[in-house]
């Protein structure tokens, strides 16, 4: 029985999982949960993840939410190469440190930009608020400074010389603003270089494949979103 | 003010202020597991986390932080995991069983933006914002915050606790530890989130017992007496440092 991954590649953590599983040749069944059709709010998906969020994993009777938990589970179950989550205690601690820190910083601020610029307009049918966007970009820049100063510094990757789960989770988050036309890599040469290295380590083709939907965000539409779900989603967003 | 010890002293150092929820988790874990460490008090109200030697050691300027020889580490989750591996703590804290471990990871991840995001706000609204700005916020603000916490608590009970004694199986783990220290924060300011939640109350008792009541009390003494700090002198640099955060919370 093959592992099922419930994903929508619009979502950053879903992309991290998709890339990780593909890169490591982990056999899985891609279960598409289309966020813009409100499929994550369905009762059926609720049986897989009562929190009604993607990504989610189903491995036989075992279900799991939260991308970090799923990535770690897959890395252990499929014995992926050490560099993803190093066995060296100090290196591993560095990966844990980034994965913990990123929730309320890179992830939160990156999400805000996507919500303000793309999602809310799609849901309410009005243009985005430039003031809110400016504020969100400012906040993201502040955490990007911390990212460069504390986590990346002058190293090729966040932990040492090879890509790890930390870089993977970071890159997919930082692509989100890019996908809505906010090039946060502009004027950040160190970050640009790191991004190139990460893309190469992942494999350019796989990286492109994972980001295709996002990079065509202007083609997104919520016309297939049932009205009652539109209201639920608006409430959940709280921009 | 503390002085950073020179490199000749190689013991484990934990930089903590027990007013902070994640600091309490690290403190309890280290004590419970008899991990030898030097308690380096970083007094948040005095702004000690923002500057000086501590600020240089941990550029994120937050507690808790760990120093172990040349390794410095931030983020309580990372610190707890590091200590559990280095000191080979009992399995139940972070089970070797892949599925149980995944369930601990799942909680620790969700925790950041749900329980941790919401539980601390009551303290800000009722004590810290008035202390820092001299302004009291309208009661609706507190209600808003408690309503959001209620949603997280509902998910906590339905998804993570269910009918089990602990989040993962029948023994305490890092998941329960991180959760309990957060949920004690509103208690300190008189918001008893355990009232009317019998299942949560029972879980709390079980966690306290597993930790040891004395250690639990010791760790929570400061927060449970936070009201006594209402006359404390706030460091002016700290006020400045926090001004943007305060403005945002007051909106």
């Amino acid at each position: 029985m093959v592992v099922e991954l419930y994903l929508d590649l619009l979502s950053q953590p879903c992309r991290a999982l998709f890339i990780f599983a593909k890169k490591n040749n982990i056999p899985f069944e891609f279960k598409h949960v289309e966020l813009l059709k409100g499929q994550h709010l369905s009762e059926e998906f609720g049986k897989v993840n009562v929190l009604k969020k993607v990504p989610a994993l189903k491995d036989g009777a075992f279900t799991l939410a939260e991308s970090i938990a799923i990535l770690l589970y897959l890395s252990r179950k499929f014995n992926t190469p050490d560099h993803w989550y190093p066995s060296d205690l100090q290196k591993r601690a560095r990966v844990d440190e980034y994965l913990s820190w990123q929730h309320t910083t890179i992830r939160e601020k990156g999400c805000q930009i996507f919500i303000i610029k793309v999602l809310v307009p799609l849901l309410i049918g009005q243009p985005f608020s430039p003031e809110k966007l400016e504020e969100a970009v400012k906040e993201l820049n502040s955490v990007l400074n911390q990212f460069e100063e504390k986590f990346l510094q002058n190293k090729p990757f966040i932990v040492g010389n090879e890509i790890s789960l930390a870089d993977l989770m970071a890159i997919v988050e930082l692509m989100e603003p890019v996908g809505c036309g906010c090039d946060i890599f502009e004027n950040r040469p160190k970050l640009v270089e790191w991004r190139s290295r990460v893309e190469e380590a992942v494999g350019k083709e796989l990286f492109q494949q994972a980001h295709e939907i996002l990079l065509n965000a202007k083609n997104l539409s919520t016309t297939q979103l049932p009205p009652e779900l539109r209201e639920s989603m608006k409430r959940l967003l709280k921009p | 003010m503390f002085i950073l010890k020179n490199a000749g002293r190689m013991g484990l150092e934990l930089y903590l202020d027990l007013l902070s929820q994640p600091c309490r988790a690290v403190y309890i874990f280290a004590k419970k597991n008899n991990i030898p460490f030097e308690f380096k008090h970083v007094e948040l109200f005095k702004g000690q986390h923002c500057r000086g030697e501590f600020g240089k050691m941990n550029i994120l300027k937050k507690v808790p932080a760990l120093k172990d020889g040349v390794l410095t580490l931030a983020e309580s989750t990372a610190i707890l995991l590091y200590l559990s591996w280095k000191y080979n703590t009992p399995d139940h804290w972070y089970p070797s069983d892949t599925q149980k471990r995944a369930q601990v990871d799942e909680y620790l991840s969700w925790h950041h933006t749900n329980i941790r995001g919401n539980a601390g706000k009551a303290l800000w609204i009722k004590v810290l914002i008035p202390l820092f700005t001299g302004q009291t916020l309208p009661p609706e603000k507190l209600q808003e915050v408690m309503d959001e916490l209620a949603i997280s608590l509902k998910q906590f009970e339905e998804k993570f606790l269910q009918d089990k004694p602990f989040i993962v199986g029948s023994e305490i783990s890092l998941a329960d530890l991180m959760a309990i220290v957060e949920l004690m924060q509103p208690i300190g300011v008189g918001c008893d989130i355990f009232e009317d939640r019998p299942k949560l109350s029972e879980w709390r008792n079980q966690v306290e017992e597993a930790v040891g009541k004395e250690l639990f009390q010791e760790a929570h003494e400061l927060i449970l007496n936070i009201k006594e700090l209402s006359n404390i002198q706030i460091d002016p640099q700290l006020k400045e440092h926090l001004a943007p955060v305060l403005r945002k919370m007051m909106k």
Side-chain angles (χ1 to χ4, degrees), chain A residues 48-51 53 59 62-69 72-73 76-77 85 89-90 92-94 96-101 103-104 108-109 135 139 146 149-151 153 238, chain B residues 58-60 62 68 70-78 81-82 85-86 94 98-103 105-110 112-114 148 151 155 158-160 248 251:
Chain A
V48 174
N49 181 13
V50 77
L51 297 170
K53 288 190 173 176
D59 189 5
F62 181 63
T63 58
L64 196 60
E66 295 293 318
S67 56
I68 292 173
L72 291 171
Y73 176 78
R76 288 161 186 149
K77 178 165 176 161
Y85 194 59
L89 268 194
Q90 293 199 5
R92 176 175 289 196
R94 289 260 163 264
D96 288 330
E97 192 187 41
Y98 178 75
L99 292 179
S100 173
W101 177 81
H103 284 278
T104 52
E108 188 182 292
K109 311 304 174 190
E135 172 88 33
E139 291 188 6
Q146 287 188 312
E149 273 175 45
K150 150 86 185 172
F151 292 98
Q153 295 171 28
K238 297 183 287 226
Chain B
N58 179 16
I59 54 176
L60 295 173
K62 288 188 173 179
D68 191 10
V70 294
L71 173 74
T72 58
L73 198 58
E75 295 294 317
S76 53
T77 305
L81 290 172
Y82 175 79
W85 282 312
K86 177 160 178 176
Y94 194 58
T98 320
Q99 288 192 4
K100 286 189 177 165
R101 180 168 285 196
Q103 287 172 327
D105 289 332
E106 186 187 48
Y107 178 76
L108 292 178
S109 175
W110 179 82
H112 284 276
T113 49
N114 293 277
E148 279 198 38
I151 296 174
Q155 289 186 317
E158 274 176 31
K159 151 88 185 171
F160 292 99
K248 203 173 180 188
K251 259 198 265 192

Side-chain angles (χ1 to χ4, degrees), chain A residues 1 32 38 45 53 63 70 72 81 85 90 96 103 121 125 135 137 140 147 150 164 200 217 230 236:
Chain A
M1 206 166 173
H32 198 190
F45 180 65
K53 288 190 173 176
T63 58
I70 299 172
L72 291 171
Y85 194 59
Q90 293 199 5
D96 288 330
H103 284 278
E135 172 88 33
V137 170
L140 180 59
F147 178 73
K150 150 86 185 172
S164 70
E200 207 164 307
R230 188 179 294 266
L236 287 170

Side-chain angles (χ1 to χ4, degrees), chain B residues 200-220:
Chain B
L200 207 67
S201 235
E202 214 181 294
W203 165 79
R204 172 201 169 162
N205 291 337
Q206 253 142 344
V207 173
E208 274 196 57
E209 209 164 304
V211 161
K213 286 194 188 272
E214 204 180 300
L215 173 57
F216 192 87
Q217 280 310 308
E218 187 193 317
H220 286 90

Side-chain angles (χ1 to χ4, degrees), chain B residues 113-130:
Chain B
T113 49
N114 293 277
I115 298 290
R116 174 134 181 80
N118 292 320
K121 286 183 185 168
L123 175 68
W124 280 90
I125 301 221
K126 277 189 94 169
V127 174
L128 298 178
I129 289 178

Side-chain angles (χ1 to χ4, degrees), chain A residues 50-187:
Chain A
V50 77
L51 297 170
K52 304 216 166 155
K53 288 190 173 176
V54 285
L57 165 148
K58 196 169 185 302
D59 189 5
F62 181 63
T63 58
L64 196 60
E66 295 293 318
S67 56
I68 292 173
I70 299 172
L71 285 166
L72 291 171
Y73 176 78
L74 293 177
S75 78
R76 288 161 186 149
K77 178 165 176 161
F78 294 94
N79 211 17
T80 53
D82 190 69
H83 63 81
W84 287 110
Y85 194 59
S87 43
D88 173 86
L89 268 194
Q90 293 199 5
K91 287 188 176 165
R92 176 175 289 196
R94 289 260 163 264
V95 176
D96 288 330
E97 192 187 41
Y98 178 75
L99 292 179
S100 173
W101 177 81
Q102 59 95 35
H103 284 278
T104 52
T105 52
I106 299 279
R107 171 143 179 77
E108 188 182 292
K109 311 304 174 190
C111 267
Q112 270 301 97
I113 291 179
F114 184 78
I115 287 172
I116 291 170
K117 207 172 172 202
V118 175
L119 209 50
V120 168
L122 271 179
L123 285 175
I124 66 175
Q126 279 173 40
F128 70 86
S129 154
E131 299 84 40
K132 284 193 175 153
L133 183 66
E134 201 184 315
E135 172 88 33
V137 170
K138 205 165 132 199
E139 291 188 6
L140 180 59
N141 270 316
S142 177
V143 302
L144 279 176
N145 291 338
Q146 287 188 312
F147 178 73
E148 288 193 273
E149 273 175 45
K150 150 86 185 172
F151 292 98
L152 197 51
Q153 295 171 28
N154 290 313
K155 299 170 276 143
F157 296 97
I158 293 173
V159 180
N161 296 320
E162 287 185 275
I163 191 175
S164 70
L165 293 179
D167 305 281
L168 185 56
M169 286 295 279
I171 197 71
V172 294
E173 288 296 341
L174 295 180
M175 289 302 290
E176 200 81 351
V178 172
C180 30
C182 292
D183 191 356
I184 48 99
F185 290 98
E186 201 174 27
N187 300 324

